[in-house]
Amino acid sequence: DAGVIQSPRHEVTEMGQEVTLRCKPISGHNSLFWYRQTMMRGLELLIYFNNNVPIDDSGMPEDRFSAKMPNASFSTLKIQPSEPRDSAVYFCASSLWVYGANVLTFGAGSRLTVL
Amino acid sequence: DQQVKQNSPSLSVQEGRISILNCDYTNSMFDYFLWYKKYPAEGPTFLISISSIKDKNEDGRFTVFLNKSAKHLSLHIVPSQPGDSAVYFCAAKGSAGTASKLTFGTGTRLQVTL
């Protein structure tokens, strides 16, 4: 199993540009999570999907952020327009949810720098 | 509002000694707790977990203790090894009956010195 695959690993862009981060979860997993890591706030949950349906997007900072999961094997996180304060490492994670357990497997992350 | 807090941003321990990483939480609905380890340029990896019905869970050199009345958990690593140097995240979830989200702390960077 290749694990959770994220792309790009690094992205440098200018303020105002659109950024799209991609994630391929582990085959068979039914939950997908997007987290953002910053020094001040640690790992913040942005949004999560269960069976491709968005369940909780209360962590999405503002309307500039959007996420989709068109099928069980692919998800995107889009920032439009991007701002310097969006600079962070964005992690995608997936899990097979069973009652009482929720161990997430994380991808290697996408490091975003907005100039 | 940070519901899961790791008040020590860093910790340095000598090889062979015990490392104790602490975590506090505020949400009494949390009933399942996990520790993740993260190396640079990698995603966090699951280390150990504990359910609220227990107060201790052990896995080799790693033991997690849960004090529900104090809303506190700790991770003990004995003996500490240089390969344990990483950032450790505490995480919590509530309501075992749903695919609910994990809430993470800000992390503690452990440095194990020779």
Side-chain angles (χ1 to χ4, degrees):
Chain A
D1 191 341
V4 176
I5 299 173
Q6 291 187 245
S7 64
R9 291 294 312 275
H10 301 275
E11 174 92 3
V12 180
T13 191
E14 292 188 343
M15 183 175 64
Q17 296 298 305
E18 177 179 295
V19 173
T20 300
L21 308 178
R22 299 173 178 80
C23 176
K24 177 177 168 52
I26 290 175
S27 177
H29 280 189
N30 58 2
S31 296
L32 183 140
F33 304 77
W34 282 101
Y35 280 87
R36 177 171 68 176
Q37 183 190 7
T38 61
M39 289 294 290
M40 291 301 295
R41 301 176 69 88
L43 282 164
E44 297 177 271
L45 178 68
L46 300 176
I47 185 171
Y48 81 94
F49 298 82
N50 198 33
N51 295 320
N52 311 339
V53 176
I55 302 299
D56 184 349
D57 65 354
S58 59
M60 297 287 259
E62 46 199 271
D63 291 345
R64 299 183 297 105
F65 285 70
S66 62
K68 294 182 180 179
M69 191 165 186
N71 57 62
S73 59
F74 184 66
S75 177
T76 59
L77 177 68
K78 187 173 291 187
I79 308 172
Q80 166 64 9
S82 58
E83 297 182 3
R85 60 187 167 132
D86 302 330
S87 298
V89 182
Y90 291 81
F91 289 101
C92 175
S94 70
S95 73
L96 176 62
W97 175 71
V98 293
Y99 187 90
N102 198 34
V103 176
L104 273 61
T105 302
F106 283 81
S110 295
R111 180 176 293 278
L112 173 65
T113 303
V114 183
L115 303 174
Chain B
D1 178 32
Q2 200 76 18
Q3 295 189 66
V4 178
K5 300 177 184 179
Q6 294 177 257
N7 293 318
S8 298
S10 63
L11 175 68
S12 182
V13 173
Q14 269 191 325
E15 181 181 12
R17 301 288 192 113
I18 183 171
S19 295
I20 301 177
L21 295 90
N22 294 303
C23 178
D24 297 294
Y25 61 96
T26 58
N27 189 336
S28 58
M29 297 301 291
F30 287 147
D31 60 4
Y32 195 72
F33 305 89
L34 306 89
W35 285 92
Y36 277 76
K37 179 167 74 172
K38 183 185 179 305
Y39 292 118
E42 296 182 11
T45 55
F46 171 71
L47 186 58
I48 192 169
S49 64
I50 187 167
S51 164
S52 61
I53 62 174
K54 295 184 174 182
D55 55 16
K56 176 182 175 181
N57 188 27
E58 192 172 349
D59 183 2
R61 297 185 297 112
F62 302 90
T63 303
V64 56
F65 295 92
L66 175 62
N67 182 334
K68 283 179 292 184
S69 61
K71 293 191 177 67
H72 176 83
L73 64 155
S74 60
L75 174 68
H76 291 211
I77 306 173
V78 183
S80 302
Q81 299 174 353
D84 297 329
S85 297
V87 177
Y88 290 79
F89 289 97
C90 170
K93 74 180 278 287
S95 184
T98 65
S100 57
K101 60 191 180 186
L102 286 182
T103 301
F104 283 84
T106 51
T108 296
R109 182 178 301 276
L110 173 65
Q111 180 74 39
V112 180
T113 59
L114 297 173

